[in-house]
Amino acid sequence: MAKKRGKKDPLWARLSLVGGAFLLLLSGGSLVGGNLLLNHYSDQITHEGGLGEAASGATIDGPINLLLVGIDERVNQEEMGARADSIIVAHVPASHDAIYLMSIPRDTKAAIPANKKTKYNGGTDKINAAFQFGYQNGGGRDGGLALLAETVSAMAGGGLKFNGAAIVNFDGFSGLVKALDGVYMCVDEKVTSIHTGWNTKTGAEGVPYNFNADGIPTSLRPNMRPMIYEVGCRDFAAWEALDYVRQRDKLANGDGDYGRQRHQQQFIKAMAKKAMSAGVLANPIKVNEVLNSVGKAVSFYNNDVSLADWMFTLKGINPDGMMTLRTNNGQFKTEIINGQSFEVLDQAALDLLKAYGSDSVGPFVAAHPEMVANDAATPATAPSNK
């Protein structure tokens, strides 16, 4: 089968995040030569600022909240701005033995605070626009991340503060997965790729679908066969895994962005398992490859806490301690305002964000087991559209 092309695509950044940050933070304490490598890559990975009024105190001794963001950023075209295409809120309880991942749909209706520095007056918009409004007029990545963090904090009633954040770009992230030599993943619903296919006559790789002006796939192009991911578990090459978790338009269950969120979370967990396997941790050359790729992929905003302290604090978490949660229970909650479609967080999702701020996520999830995402090895069911 043809190998995935190396074409740049800023939309890959929506894949996210945690993959890179958590490979570093969770496995660092176990890495061969971890401290030495950490000192080498720390300046390349960490950044100051980026959390604005939503920043927590400069300590990670207690519960930890992280904002993880994938952005659509035009390289060398800053005037075009950037939007957050993937938003994940991660919570580590004060016991530092687990981590909860909650995705916020990019089309979620949100009250975005004003930002005087970037001349944004505030208003209601899709949450992914918060990054753009903070990024514009010289705000850059730091300003975009800060306004997005403040927006998410406001959704939780202001009680949710962040101890750190991460932004990831595609070029470095694809290199990270390649450094891991792919991952073992389970497909929980048939997924058809709109980005990767092959010409049935020539065998040449290409985009299989035509698209309308809104970027929605329409008909198959002549003689093109799309890549299809069937239900089941297997080893994925890096290009397959990245292509799979990118899809949202032709998922068998019609679960769109909720399905993509679930697959991204499953992918993050699969990557963490691979990164923390003996074959990676015990191999100094492989460790160096992974950390070098993390440095190219991840901008980690450490909130004035050293990377060494982050790694020491989180070293007790293993992939089995990762719990992925379903926003709106994976069900569409659509509202049309002035002809524009928004997703609306239900009360349980808003309460979950508040639980992040009060370090009560564990008890909250225990009382709402329906919010736990299915195991990837279990076929997913189609959502309702309410």
Side-chain angles (χ1 to χ4, degrees):
M1 185 170 285
K3 188 176 180 180
K4 184 75 182 77
R5 60 190 178 283
K7 182 181 178 181
K8 287 187 177 182
D9 187 340
L11 296 181
W12 279 100
R14 66 170 58 124
L15 289 184
S16 76
L17 307 261
V18 237
F22 284 168
L23 292 188
L24 181 70
L25 298 178
L26 302 186
S27 61
S30 305
L31 293 174
V32 174
N35 288 335
L36 184 62
L37 287 170
L38 172 63
N39 291 332
H40 177 71
Y41 288 110
S42 180
D43 290 341
Q44 184 179 351
I45 295 168
T46 57
H47 297 264
E48 297 179 353
L51 291 168
E53 297 299 319
S56 179
T59 177
I60 52 174
D61 293 336
I64 298 167
N65 292 307
L66 290 160
L67 181 62
L68 309 161
V69 186
I71 61 173
D72 176 1
E73 184 179 39
R74 270 63 175 181
V75 179
N76 298 322
Q77 299 182 49
E78 292 187 6
E79 70 279 1
M80 295 185 67
R83 289 193 173 223
D85 275 332
S86 183
I87 303 168
I88 296 178
V89 186
H91 176 76
V92 177
S95 54
H96 297 164
D97 58 358
I99 189 160
Y100 299 88
L101 305 178
M102 172 189 181
S103 295
I104 299 179
R106 63 177 187 168
D107 293 337
T108 297
K109 183 176 72 171
I112 303 175
N115 188 320
K116 292 182 179 180
K117 291 183 180 179
T118 61
K119 301 178 182 179
Y120 174 63
N121 295 325
T124 298
D125 209 318
K126 294 183 178 181
I127 195 169
N128 70 335
F131 197 98
Q132 161 66 15
F133 294 136
Y135 185 101
Q136 67 186 12
N137 296 324
R141 282 183 163 206
D142 291 1
L145 183 62
L147 188 56
L148 178 59
E150 290 167 4
T151 301
V152 176
S153 177
M155 294 179 74
L160 172 58
K161 301 296 183 180
F162 293 101
N163 304 84
I167 298 176
V168 162
N169 67 72
F170 162 64
D171 288 332
F173 194 69
S174 61
L176 169 60
V177 185
K178 289 178 182 177
L180 290 173
D181 297 322
V183 294
Y184 183 80
M185 290 181 64
C186 295
V187 177
D188 61 9
E189 63 177 314
K190 181 179 177 181
V191 173
T192 300
S193 175
I194 66 171
H195 304 105
T196 302
W198 291 268
N199 189 295
T200 57
K201 291 186 176 181
T202 67
E205 183 183 353
V207 177
Y209 283 90
N210 294 303
F211 295 83
N212 66 20
D214 294 328
I216 305 300
T218 55
S219 58
L220 272 173
R221 293 179 175 178
N223 305 317
M224 291 301 296
R225 171 179 59 84
M227 178 68 183
I228 295 177
Y229 302 92
E230 300 286 355
V231 174
C233 303
R234 64 179 176 85
D235 289 311
F236 275 61
W239 72 265
E240 290 180 301
L242 292 168
D243 184 56
Y244 170 66
V245 297
R246 184 185 184 190
Q247 309 305 319
R248 69 167 183 165
D249 289 289
K250 291 191 175 293
L251 278 59
N253 288 336
D255 42 4
D257 205 38
Y258 286 106
R260 183 171 63 181
Q261 290 170 20
R262 186 178 68 252
H263 297 157
Q264 288 175 359
Q265 291 175 343
Q266 293 166 352
F267 175 52
I268 288 165
K269 193 169 183 177
M271 275 212 308
K273 285 184 176 181
K274 182 65 176 289
M276 296 179 72
S277 67
V280 174
L281 295 178
N283 185 335
I285 295 176
K286 180 61 65 176
V287 166
N288 190 61
E289 289 178 0
V290 170
L291 287 181
N292 185 52
S293 296
V294 170
K296 294 177 180 178
V298 177
S299 297
F300 181 63
Y301 291 77
N302 62 345
N303 198 26
D304 297 324
V305 176
S306 73
L307 203 56
D309 286 345
W310 274 101
M311 293 173 68
F312 179 80
T313 299
L314 299 181
K315 69 178 182 180
I317 303 175
N318 62 56
D320 291 332
M322 284 187 179
M323 182 170 290
T324 57
L325 305 174
R326 302 192 303 171
T327 307
N328 288 355
N329 290 346
Q331 308 297 315
F332 292 106
K333 305 287 184 182
T334 305
E335 181 177 321
I336 306 298
I337 303 175
N338 296 326
Q340 190 173 19
S341 177
F342 293 84
E343 279 297 294
V344 179
L345 295 189
D346 61 20
Q347 191 58 52
L350 293 173
D351 289 343
L352 176 57
L353 282 175
K354 293 178 181 178
Y356 270 58
S358 61
D359 192 25
S360 56
V361 178
F364 183 89
V365 172
H368 298 80
E370 71 280 358
M371 298 185 75
V372 179
N374 69 296
D375 186 321
T378 303
T381 57
S384 61
N385 192 348
K386 298 180 179 179

